[in-house]
Amino acid sequence: MNKVFPEFIHLQGKNSSLMLAFGQGAPQVIYWGKSLSKSTTPQMLTTLRIRQEVPASPAREAKRSLTTTTGEGFTGNPGIKLFGDDAQWAVATVVNDINQLSPHHVVITNWDEARKIALVHTIILDHQADVFSVDTQVTNKGTSPVNLEWCTAATLPVPASADQILGFEGHWAGEFHEQHVKQFFGSYLRENRRGRTSHDAFPGLIMHTKTCDQQQGEAYGFHLGWSGNHRLLSEKMADGRAFVQMGELLYPGEMSLTTNQSYQSPKLYASYTNQGLSGLSRQFHQYVRRNLLKYSALAKPRPVHYNTWEGIYFDHDVATLKDLANRACELGVERFVLDDGWFIGRNDDKAGLGDWYVDEGIYPDGLTPVIDHVNQLGMEFGLWFEPEMVNPDSNLYRAHPDWILSTPPNQDVGFRNQLVLDLTRDEVFDYLFERLDSLLSEYNIAYIKWDMNRDINQPGDQHFKPAVHRQTRALYRLLAKVKASHPNVEIESCSSGGARADYGVLEHTDRVWTSDSNDALERLKIQKGFSYFFPAELMGSHVGPRDCHITHRNLSMSMRASVVLFGHMGMEMDLRELTDDEKVELKAMVDLYKQHRALIHSGDLYRLSLPDYAMGVGMIAPDKSEALFSYSLIRSHTAGLPDQFKFEGLAPETLYKLHIIWPIRAGDFWPKSSIFNFDTNLPEMDGQVFSGEALMNLGKQLPRLAPNSALIYHLVAVE
Ligand code: DGJ
């Protein structure tokens, strides 16, 4: 008996609708956009979509289905590419089961009887956040093996009006840079073969209309939750139809499926808004907060960090660390993180990785004296690891030179003097778990900074097979096992800065190290890019040294501290070098962060559209009762005075008391500007009450400021 299933399913979000159709052949999205009411029937949508036959084109256009196929005659990029001994390459499935598990959760099974291939699509909408996840599973039910080259998590349609591409590019210490490209016929394609999420090809993409800006307009956002290799594609076909695909980039021969074996794609997260690019980000932030984060920033505030890296690098000694801990404590730090350099042989970056035993030459009594000292000062203790790596100069490598990923006889390309351990081998996995478990059991460690400092350039396993897919899954398993055994330990995802930031790793981690650049001006760009898909509480953001170690730029403490408030705050410098004035300012920012972190870590983000010389963001309480806004002047403004500063996201008729809370209000720290009432009788703005609409529609005249300085405003609703 033929199964009966619906012809259409409408996944209804708060402000968006996704309509799926299951007519003949494969399933497809027939509408994705602004929320539809009950007046609209699926049949209306089907009729409105009817396209005529055009000369020199197929009589019947192949569908832009969830998995587009060559077998169905689709001439855009196929959603699946595979081959076997028979005709598997021409796979073309039909829907043979639909399981709607809830109004927002649907599982669609598709079957190709001729080639014995099954495809299962799972779509789960978070209707509050208006973000859905979609993935695809391929199963080979045939008797001969199938070689899978590509399987997109889904093919999602994009309307012709959303013809602007916002992608992300970058490099070490310069991650998440926005890249604006106008859509063209053909494919915008980003491929990542670095074996980690990468600095340069962040797996996120936004398609939006020309008139869309930060605060209004239509936009479609896409993010692949995967920490290995990936391929992102936004294609416009000659027939005018456009779509986005995202999936794992598989090496030749990496995914061979024997009978009954399946491949599971990573999840693609997608969202539609008509509230502009900031609105789209708020939806992704809400999704992350509701679905991925295990750590509730509201239940336990995110502590202020001190990280030793840029303070002492590899120069560890117990007395110095205790001294740094005392100084950190005086500044209000709540968690002390001991970075690279604590384990045997690790005097520089040439040796030691893999030997996860405390160096008794430096720490004769183990880490206990340092940890006890830190704990007695009331701070938590965190420790750095780089589990996936090994230095050739290590006991581990000398004992097990075969435990690495490589492609002999090819020579390793060389990368920070280290090689990648093959986590797909049980003995490697078990060794790493034992080391982590033993240290976490022995010591009072609240936090792991989990680093990964090289690409996987030559990812061959012991059988010479490409292993990035299995390595990535093994990494997730290792993280999950450590978490399961030590549920209270938080884990930060770090990879030479921000090369491992994605929703896949976030299922197992609690914070992201955004970038190795602590340069405040660089950070403004990096943090802006990061904010498209990640909420503020995940964004590790540290006040760095006076002279940035990477750009060598010298910036005031006031400027450096101003950029960390809208993230998860920390500091990372040699605290012994701070002047008294710098300590006063840094402590003031720690206090501000503590005072406002509940708002920042649960608030609604508004990126401001300011002239080129400035950058700014707002963070507004969901009930609009309170808000914070930053204004950073990057270079001199073009006119005698900067423009009016327009606030965003406030309740128009609510009255707000406005306070300037940064820079600190004390003698020398307060900007010498007439608007601040030093030598003028201009009316005092600070502490006055304004309506939300006046602040948003007219805005506030900004003062003259020196380039590289910042202001932070606090608004509180008054009765
Ligand atoms: C790269 C990280 O991004 C840095 O913060 C630091 O932990 C170093 N690795 C240590 O080797």
Side-chain angles (χ1 to χ4, degrees), residues 358-490:
V358 178
D359 187 334
E360 290 181 0
I362 304 169
Y363 299 95
D365 301 311
L367 292 176
T368 303
V370 174
I371 297 180
D372 282 354
H373 187 79
V374 164
N375 290 162
Q376 275 154 19
L377 290 168
M379 296 185 286
E380 292 181 357
F381 181 80
L383 194 60
W384 180 94
F385 288 90
E386 193 178 357
E388 297 140 83
M389 299 291 157
V390 65
N391 285 119
D393 186 0
S394 66
N395 296 333
L396 185 72
Y397 185 79
R398 281 183 281 274
H400 304 285
D402 55 327
W403 275 14
I404 58 159
L405 293 173
S406 62
T407 53
N410 310 340
Q411 205 189 338
D412 172 64
V413 296
F415 207 126
R416 212 194 186 206
N417 314 299
Q418 60 196 56
L419 300 165
V420 187
L421 287 170
D422 180 355
L423 267 58
T424 72
R425 291 174 74 135
D426 289 346
E427 58 276 36
V428 177
F429 186 98
D430 293 346
Y431 167 77
L432 291 174
F433 178 73
E434 187 282 325
R435 282 294 76 223
L436 283 152
D437 181 48
S438 144
L439 286 154
L440 292 173
S441 305
E442 181 178 355
Y443 294 116
N444 188 19
I445 297 171
Y447 176 87
I448 294 176
K449 178 174 175 181
W450 188 300
D451 207 343
M452 195 253 200
N453 285 305
R454 73 159 287 171
D455 295 338
I456 312 183
N457 303 72
Q458 291 146 303
D461 68 7
Q462 56 184 320
H463 308 295
F464 313 110
K465 291 282 180 209
V468 177
H469 171 83
R470 286 174 290 131
Q471 177 86 355
T472 310
R473 291 269 179 231
L475 165 72
Y476 291 162
R477 276 203 309 282
L478 184 58
L479 283 162
K481 191 163 178 189
V482 169
K483 273 273 184 185
S485 312
H486 303 274
N488 296 325
V489 173
E490 288 161 39

Side-chain angles (χ1 to χ4, degrees), residues 183-231:
Q183 190 190 41
F184 45 87
F185 284 106
S187 298
Y188 166 94
L189 174 69
R190 298 299 309 264
E191 294 194 331
N192 168 41
R193 291 183 183 76
R194 296 190 184 273
R196 52 176 165 170
T197 321
S198 88
H199 292 105
D200 50 305
F202 171 71
L205 192 69
I206 295 169
M207 304 290 302
H208 61 91
T209 59
K210 251 188 234 76
T211 50
C212 169
D213 61 24
Q214 287 294 345
Q215 315 312 344
Q216 59 78 40
E218 290 196 297
Y220 293 80
F222 307 87
H223 169 68
L224 189 74
W226 185 242
S227 315
N229 291 334
H230 61 247
R231 179 180 287 129

Side-chain angles (χ1 to χ4, degrees), residues 309 339-340 384 416 449 451 453 494 496-497 513 516 572:
W309 180 240
D339 210 285
D340 197 355
W384 180 94
R416 212 194 186 206
K449 178 174 175 181
D451 207 343
N453 285 305
C494 171
S496 325
W513 182 226
D516 274 355
E572 183 165 344

Side-chain angles (χ1 to χ4, degrees), residues 50-258:
I50 292 175
R51 290 161 64 88
Q52 71 183 93
E53 182 184 345
V54 295
S57 294
R60 187 180 49 81
E61 265 177 348
K63 272 190 220 169
R64 205 174 18 169
S65 57
L66 284 175
T67 301
T68 50
T69 61
T70 306
E72 287 170 302
F74 189 74
T75 50
N77 195 58
I80 189 163
K81 294 181 195 172
L82 47 77
F83 68 91
D85 287 345
D86 303 319
Q88 291 97 333
W89 67 274
V91 61
T93 59
V94 294
V95 177
N96 82 336
D97 198 13
I98 296 171
N99 199 357
Q100 183 153 14
L101 300 168
S102 81
H104 304 114
H105 185 166
V106 56
V107 180
I108 309 154
T109 307
N110 310 268
W111 175 238
D112 180 337
E113 175 61 30
R115 291 98 184 178
K116 305 281 186 265
I117 305 273
L119 295 183
V120 179
H121 306 294
T122 302
I123 307 179
I124 307 172
L125 170 72
D126 176 343
H127 63 292
Q128 291 295 339
D130 275 300
V131 175
F132 64 88
S133 68
V134 53
D135 58 56
T136 297
Q137 187 195 59
V138 192
T139 306
N140 176 17
K141 295 273 185 189
T143 48
S144 60
V146 161
N147 214 303
L148 185 68
E149 292 179 348
W150 164 245
C151 174
T152 181
T155 303
L156 295 176
V158 180
S161 52
D163 61 354
Q164 308 294 311
I165 301 172
L166 167 54
F168 298 88
E169 56 192 16
H171 52 86
W172 172 72
E175 300 86 339
F176 310 110
H177 283 193
E178 291 174 45
Q179 175 196 45
H180 296 270
V181 182
K182 180 164 171 7
Q183 190 190 41
F184 45 87
F185 284 106
S187 298
Y188 166 94
L189 174 69
R190 298 299 309 264
E191 294 194 331
N192 168 41
R193 291 183 183 76
R194 296 190 184 273
R196 52 176 165 170
T197 321
S198 88
H199 292 105
D200 50 305
F202 171 71
L205 192 69
I206 295 169
M207 304 290 302
H208 61 91
T209 59
K210 251 188 234 76
T211 50
C212 169
D213 61 24
Q214 287 294 345
Q215 315 312 344
Q216 59 78 40
E218 290 196 297
Y220 293 80
F222 307 87
H223 169 68
L224 189 74
W226 185 242
S227 315
N229 291 334
H230 61 247
R231 179 180 287 129
L232 324 175
L233 181 128
S234 167
E235 180 165 323
K236 182 172 181 182
M237 297 170 68
D239 62 21
R241 294 180 296 170
F243 59 88
V244 165
Q245 293 177 341
M246 289 190 178
E248 189 178 1
L249 185 148
L250 296 166
Y251 283 116
E254 182 160 7
M255 192 53 60
S256 174
L257 302 176
T258 54

Side-chain angles (χ1 to χ4, degrees), residues 325-341:
N326 294 341
R327 289 167 192 268
C329 177
E330 278 167 25
L331 289 166
V333 166
E334 298 162 306
R335 180 182 283 155
F336 186 92
V337 181
L338 185 61
D339 210 285
D340 197 355

